Amino acid sequence: MPFIQLQKVGKIYVSDNNISVGIRGIDLSFEKGEFVAVTGESGSGKSTLLNVISGMDTYEEGELLIEGEPTSHFVQSDWEEYRKNYISFIFQDYNIVDSFTVLENVELALMHVRDHAERRRRAVELLDRVGMKPFLKKRGSKLSGGQKQRTVIARALAKDSPVILADEPTGNLDSKTSAEILDLLKEVSNGKLVIVVTHDFGQIEPYATRHIRIHDGAVEYDVQASAAAEPVPETAPQVRKTEEEGQTAWSRLGRTLQDSMRLGWVRFKAKPKLSFFLCLLMIVAAIGVFAVTSFSASSLSAFDPVPFFTHQEGRVILTKPDGSVITKEEYEALAKRPGVLSGLRFDTLLDRPLGWYVRGRSLDLHYTTTPPRKPDTGRLPEKDNEIALFLPLYAKGAEECPGIGDTFDLLNGDTAPYTVVGLGFDPDNTKPACVCMTGRGFEILSCLEVLPYSLNVTLTTSGDSVTQNCSVGLLWSDGQFWMKKIKDAESASVKLEMTVRIESLQTGRKTDPASFETVSVERTLTCAPAVPGRAVGYGETLYVDPQCVLDLGHAAMDISYRQTSLFYANDREAEKAARSFRSEGYHALASTETRANDDILSLSVFGAIGLFLLWLFTVAFLTLFISLATTRAIMSTQGDLSILRSMGIPVPVIRTSVFIQTLLPLIPAYLSVLLFACFAFLFPPTNAQFTYLRPWAYLVIAAALILISVMIARRYIRKLFGQSVKKALKGENRS
Ligand code: ADP
Ligand code: MG
């Protein structure tokens, strides 16, 4: 049984409107140990013959038998398997991967050797054998023709395939180098079938055991040549056992992955400019994705349940069963219930945050008596007029932001001057900002807040009496008042009158029409010396001491305010307590149980969907942009890939290696995202621009980046594999 046998094989090329005969009616058989020289004029079909034998070209007529097995039914993957196990190819124009080093070119063919050190050792040994040891680290593109062919021969040896096909291997070499290469081929050929196409038989004659001449696609003659054929011991059919056989699917997959990673890494290193360019583009993409994610992130809160009341951990909002006012005594009894940590009888301020603009960003400042943490600088408030501010980092150093010791007005009216004693800044700019004050400080502010803008005020000084409407402000000085108009007076009897609107007592049912009642406080206060920097010029504002404000506010709320807040250890406790209050007939809600109405929700959900689409659009755009930007660079590696394929490196390995190659730039890209995030959130001006991202958002960014590079890799692969091996090898589609 011949090793390789061609029976009446014919190959016809059909191109556009032209049919040409490659070979026709070829009857040949080859044995191992032969060194066959094939000659013939240009265009006679020599290359076609080799291509058919190697399975790089299909044939239309006859049958090619390999160790007796017909091949006409072979599909692409059969041919690849065949090439992998049988064929080493040497071309006139050197099928070496230009961007790889000599060592890498040979190591590729040793992929089946698992141990790295062993693979390296064998590659070096083979290269030593072809005299290439001094050039291990040299890139393919930097080699001379002879050096390239030597490397290719070392690679053919590494593969240890039984057939070496060489298509004019010395065609581009000078005669001295040609002789050396042929010498080398002969030397390494023992036991193998070597078929060399040449146009210079004289040169090859000393080595050839057989001479076939092709003319016009057919065999003209086929004669014994001078050299003696190597005796080859009869062996079992040479289907080399692939190492994969007898292995589990998992270890095969693992091996493919391992090989792909190696090849991917080699490819990544081999094209430093392309890799650098890809890294750069990926970094740009990564930061772009980060920016849109941060931009869209705030909108995602639309999907969160929106509390109608300001959420405060452990808060329960309470009204009595009949909706009537909760008296001081009733409140105190409620506040003594088990589990209650603290309470705010008049809790109105909790749900009325102070709107504030800092660095052009709107900020809701929530009033609270429970500090979220310790301030970074300063301390927590101890006196009633002291506050600590807990703000997003972007407020730091902002013009609008007060410093320690500064006065900060908590009512937007220059009437509630509190002194900042503590400041805390958080890079997480999604956390609610708050102003923390003492219980009494909070109460004073609540009372001041319920006073109408203008009050009926009567001032009586030594007999004289003035009655007018004016607004009321806080003077942190017990027993004193101040007003521009009467700054000379020593003391005055101050009477403040306020009309309170009493609404329907029955919550939810408006049976009674609103009615009005008047409350008032009257005290004798001494006139404060002018308060530097304040109040001067505000002629229509009467500044009174906190007690005055408390008295009037309490008087008003005692007859009209029907809600209170109690605080428990946490939201779960609060929900439990709220349930138990409800079972007693109270209207009670933990602040986690209150939700904004659906209209608001659905509106913001629309916005969120819009932003999500914007996000998707950005990712798609970046994908397109990067793949267009890299197409040319990527296509320049097309020849390399075909060489890898012709060497029989499994297609899945090549494919996966392309993924690895495009995924590798994600490492610097992702690191730059993290770096950029640190920068963005730790510097106040940028902190104001980007919405702080939660850990899940970084997973989303990673997923988007992976998506982008997978899309690019897919496009890359589609282009690369979109043509036959031979076409690409011949360079027909290069450039
Ligand atoms: P050689 O290698 O002996 O110079 P080839 O085998 O390359 O000759 O070519 C044999 C014939 O087949 C020539 O007539 C050539 O024009 C034709 N041929 C080879 N390759 C192709 C192809 N890809 N498409 C069309 N015709 C081809
Ligand atoms: Mg040719």
Side-chain angles (χ1 to χ4, degrees), residues 13-15 20-22 41-49 167-168 726 730 732:
Y13 289 104
V14 183
S15 55
S20 53
V21 177
E41 292 136 33
S42 170
S44 57
K46 309 181 291 296
S47 297
T48 308
L49 178 65
D167 195 350
E168 309 203 29
K726 203 194 72 175
K730 285 192 162 177
E732 282 173 19

Side-chain angles (χ1 to χ4, degrees), residues 77-332:
S77 59
D78 295 323
W79 286 119
E80 288 190 341
E81 190 65 19
Y82 162 67
R83 277 205 296 277
K84 183 172 148 199
N85 294 329
Y86 281 81
I87 307 290
S88 287
F89 221 121
I90 301 172
F91 289 83
Q92 177 174 356
D93 49 359
Y94 336 111
N95 50 342
I96 190 167
V97 183
D98 277 345
S99 52
F100 291 3
T101 63
V102 167
L103 194 58
E104 283 165 349
N105 264 288
V106 175
E107 280 186 336
L108 276 181
L110 287 165
M111 208 69 125
H112 56 275
V113 180
R114 305 317 301 171
D115 181 56
H116 179 75
E118 170 65 8
R119 188 168 54 239
R120 174 66 43 105
R121 194 191 62 73
R122 272 166 67 175
V124 172
E125 188 185 284
L126 290 168
L127 282 163
D128 192 23
R129 215 168 132 194
V130 300
M132 284 299 289
K133 201 173 173 182
F135 311 106
L136 296 181
K137 297 278 174 205
K138 226 171 173 183
R139 289 212 184 277
S141 53
K142 300 259 156 52
L143 299 176
S144 72
Q147 288 172 332
K148 283 185 185 176
Q149 280 316 38
R150 284 169 189 275
T151 307
V152 172
I153 290 169
R155 203 172 64 190
L157 290 176
K159 239 181 114 184
D160 196 25
S161 56
V163 183
I164 295 180
L165 303 175
D167 195 350
E168 309 203 29
T170 60
N172 288 341
L173 303 176
D174 60 65
S175 56
K176 182 166 164 283
T177 318
S178 297
E180 282 168 16
I181 292 296
L182 288 174
D183 244 359
L184 190 58
L185 256 183
K186 181 69 181 178
E187 184 190 324
V188 302
S189 71
N190 57 2
K192 295 181 194 297
L193 165 61
V194 180
I195 306 178
V196 183
V197 167
T198 179
H199 49 255
D200 183 0
F201 181 69
Q203 195 179 46
I204 206 166
E205 197 166 10
Y207 312 98
T209 63
R210 183 173 167 188
H211 180 193
I212 296 172
R213 187 169 170 82
I214 308 282
H215 180 70
D216 203 9
V219 177
E220 193 179 39
Y221 59 78
D222 177 3
V223 296
Q224 290 294 314
S226 47
E230 302 262 344
V232 181
E234 196 57 42
T235 50
Q238 175 71 27
V239 184
R240 190 171 50 159
K241 267 223 162 63
T242 54
E243 291 187 31
E244 278 100 58
E245 268 167 45
Q247 286 185 331
T248 67
W250 278 118
S251 66
R252 250 202 316 273
L253 185 71
R255 174 164 295 185
T256 301
L257 260 179
Q258 216 182 331
D259 288 346
S260 311
M261 293 222 256
R262 191 174 308 124
L263 184 58
W265 173 238
V266 169
R267 289 169 56 77
F268 185 81
K269 276 192 310 181
K271 285 268 171 186
K273 273 191 208 139
L274 170 62
S275 300
F276 178 76
F277 189 51
L278 255 180
C279 285
L280 213 65
L281 287 175
M282 273 299 174
I283 287 174
V284 172
I287 290 175
V289 172
F290 169 84
V292 278
T293 306
S294 161
F295 181 54
S296 320
S298 53
S299 75
L300 286 173
S301 59
F303 296 100
D304 294 343
V306 180
F308 189 66
F309 294 94
T310 305
H311 175 256
Q312 239 184 325
E313 184 78 15
R315 181 181 180 196
V316 170
I317 301 133
L318 202 64
T319 54
K320 273 167 62 182
D322 61 358
S324 63
V325 168
I326 299 172
T327 65
K328 192 159 190 276
E329 292 70 33
E330 283 168 337
Y331 167 75
E332 274 160 10

Side-chain angles (χ1 to χ4, degrees), residues 419-430:
T419 305
V420 179
V421 294
L423 277 169
F425 295 102
D426 198 324
D428 180 352
N429 55 28
T430 63

